[in-house]
């Protein structure tokens, strides 16, 4: 009898234990389910990322491997990646406004601000330190090839020069100036672009050591007028010669041999047109 009662008691205890376990499992399931639902509605969890992608190349068009590309907000890096051997990269970002910065060893960094709300391609072209770079085109937007681009110092001595390619692109490195002036951290430099049939363009720029800067030129075709001044008992040097323009008059002075030269932009209309004015004869001086 005791054995039967003991057995019955054991069965009851087992049933109670099983029921308790079942209740515990249901409770855990309910808690787990409510936590998942809460997580789905949690605004602190970022939405699926958007994929900005692109390449990092040199201004000459060569891919840069192991360049670093960062997405930043308020000075804090949100995402970062490095480029492959082909210069390719991609980032995974939540929607928002970012500063995207590309940098690489032996190059100056480049950055831009953009709104990320869909996948987009963002390509970078990096220049060498101590360089000017950019494009040169005419008034219609056509690229100008074989334009000479020089960097000159304060004495107008040429430090470095290069030529534009078929796409009108150039890069000229003036690092030699800072190598020859090791104590100098800033310099006033002139960036000069010219070609025989174009009106010369010139920028005077204060540059820091290690800096690079982009300058795009729109160059105009030029008209030139040249000639010679001669006259009895008249010294040929320093004679003023004036050309009448629609907006203004322009005066140049003859050189020691009596020669003068004018250069005009294509949108300037001189009243005297032509390539060579020949010889202008001055009357004898009155005694």
């Amino acid at each position: 009898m005791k054995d039967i009662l003991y057995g019955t008691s054991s069965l009851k205890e087992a049933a109670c234990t099983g029921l308790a376990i079942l209740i515990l499992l249901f409770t855990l399931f309910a808690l787990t389910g409510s936590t998942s639902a809460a997580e789905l509605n949690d605004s602190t969890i970022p939405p699926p990322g958007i994929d900005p992608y692109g390449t990092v190349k040199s201004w000459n068009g060569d891919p840069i491997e192991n360049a670093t590309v960062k997405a930043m907000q308020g000075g804090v890096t949100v995402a970062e990646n490095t480029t492959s051997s082909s210069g390719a990269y991609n980032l995974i970002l939540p929607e928002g406004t970012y500063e995207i910065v590309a940098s690489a060893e032996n190059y100056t960094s480049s950055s831009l601000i953009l709104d990320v709300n869909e996948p987009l391609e963002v390509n970078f072209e990096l220049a060498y330190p101590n360089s000017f770079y950019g494009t040169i085109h005419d008034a219609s937007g056509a690229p100008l090839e074989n334009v000479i681009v020089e960097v000159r110092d304060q004495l107008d001595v040429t430090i470095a020069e290069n030529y534009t390619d078929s796409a009108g692109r150039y890069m000229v490195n003036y690092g030699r100036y800072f190598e020859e002036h090791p104590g100098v951290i800033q310099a006033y430099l002139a960036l000069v672009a010219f070609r025989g049939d174009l009106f010369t363009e010139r920028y005077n720029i204060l540059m820091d050591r290690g800096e690079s800067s982009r300058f795009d030129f729109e160059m105009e075709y030029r008209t030139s007028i040249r000639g010679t001044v001669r006259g009895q008992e008249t010294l040929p040097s320093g004679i003023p010669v004036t050309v009448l323009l629609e907006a203004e008059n322009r005066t140049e002075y003859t050189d020691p041999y009596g020669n003068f030269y004018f250069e005009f932009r294509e949108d300037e209309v001189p009243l005297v047109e032509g390539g060579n004015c020949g010889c202008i004869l001055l009357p004898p001086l009155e005694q």
Side-chain angles (χ1 to χ4, degrees), residues 141-153:
L144 294 171
E145 186 177 7
N146 291 326
V147 177
I148 302 172
V149 184
E150 291 185 349
V151 179
R152 302 176 185 173
D153 65 13

Side-chain angles (χ1 to χ4, degrees), residues 59 125 132-138 141 144 147 149 164 167-171 191 193 201-203 205 213-220:
W59 184 248
E125 293 175 309
F132 292 114
Y133 65 101
T135 60
I136 299 180
H137 55 86
D138 65 17
L144 294 171
V147 177
V149 184
T164 56
R169 296 161 66 94
Y170 75 91
M171 183 164 65
L191 181 63
E201 296 287 351
R202 180 186 182 110
Y203 290 106
I205 310 149
S213 189
R214 176 171 181 169
F215 286 89
D216 295 332
F217 292 84
E218 180 180 298
M219 299 186 70
E220 298 183 69

Side-chain angles (χ1 to χ4, degrees), residues 4 11 19 45 95 101 117 128 130 195 202 207 214 229 257:
I4 295 174
L11 290 173
L19 181 60
I45 297 176
E95 286 193 25
V101 182
N117 50 34
Y128 296 117
N130 300 315
R195 196 177 74 179
R202 180 186 182 110
M207 296 295 293
R214 176 171 181 169
V229 175
Y257 304 98

Side-chain angles (χ1 to χ4, degrees), residues 91-268:
L91 301 170
I92 305 297
L93 297 171
E95 286 193 25
T97 301
Y98 298 89
E99 180 184 15
I100 310 296
V101 182
S103 59
E105 188 176 1
N106 298 322
Y107 292 88
T108 55
S109 61
S110 178
S111 66
L112 55 87
I113 306 294
L114 55 84
D115 293 325
V116 175
N117 50 34
E118 62 180 357
L120 72 165
E121 183 175 359
V122 184
N123 297 320
F124 291 93
E125 293 175 309
L126 305 184
Y128 296 117
N130 300 315
S131 65
F132 292 114
Y133 65 101
T135 60
I136 299 180
H137 55 86
D138 65 17
S140 70
L144 294 171
E145 186 177 7
N146 291 326
V147 177
I148 302 172
V149 184
E150 291 185 349
V151 179
R152 302 176 185 173
D153 65 13
Q154 299 93 324
L155 300 177
D156 214 34
V157 175
T158 299
I159 303 167
E161 67 176 19
N162 211 336
Y163 293 80
T164 56
D165 61 17
S166 59
R169 296 161 66 94
Y170 75 91
M171 183 164 65
V172 57
N173 189 287
Y174 53 85
R176 168 189 156 196
Y177 179 86
F178 288 107
E179 291 173 1
E180 295 176 351
H181 302 80
V184 174
I185 60 173
Q186 285 185 324
Y188 276 103
L189 301 174
L191 181 63
V192 184
F194 57 96
R195 196 177 74 179
D197 58 336
L198 298 168
F199 191 89
T200 300
E201 296 287 351
R202 180 186 182 110
Y203 290 106
N204 294 312
I205 310 149
L206 177 64
M207 296 295 293
D208 294 331
R209 177 188 289 269
E211 185 182 13
S212 66
S213 189
R214 176 171 181 169
F215 286 89
D216 295 332
F217 292 84
E218 180 180 298
M219 299 186 70
E220 298 183 69
Y221 292 95
R222 69 175 175 83
T223 297
S224 63
I225 298 177
R226 68 182 69 235
T228 306
V229 175
R230 292 286 186 269
Q232 293 180 348
E233 302 179 26
T234 301
L235 293 174
S237 177
I239 303 297
V241 179
T242 301
V243 172
L244 306 181
L245 304 174
E246 287 187 338
E248 62 177 349
N249 297 339
R250 187 172 301 172
T251 300
E252 298 288 347
Y253 293 85
T254 56
D255 65 16
Y257 304 98
N259 301 314
F260 64 87
Y261 176 79
F262 292 88
E263 186 177 276
F264 307 97
R265 300 178 187 273
E266 61 183 332
D267 60 353
E268 294 178 314

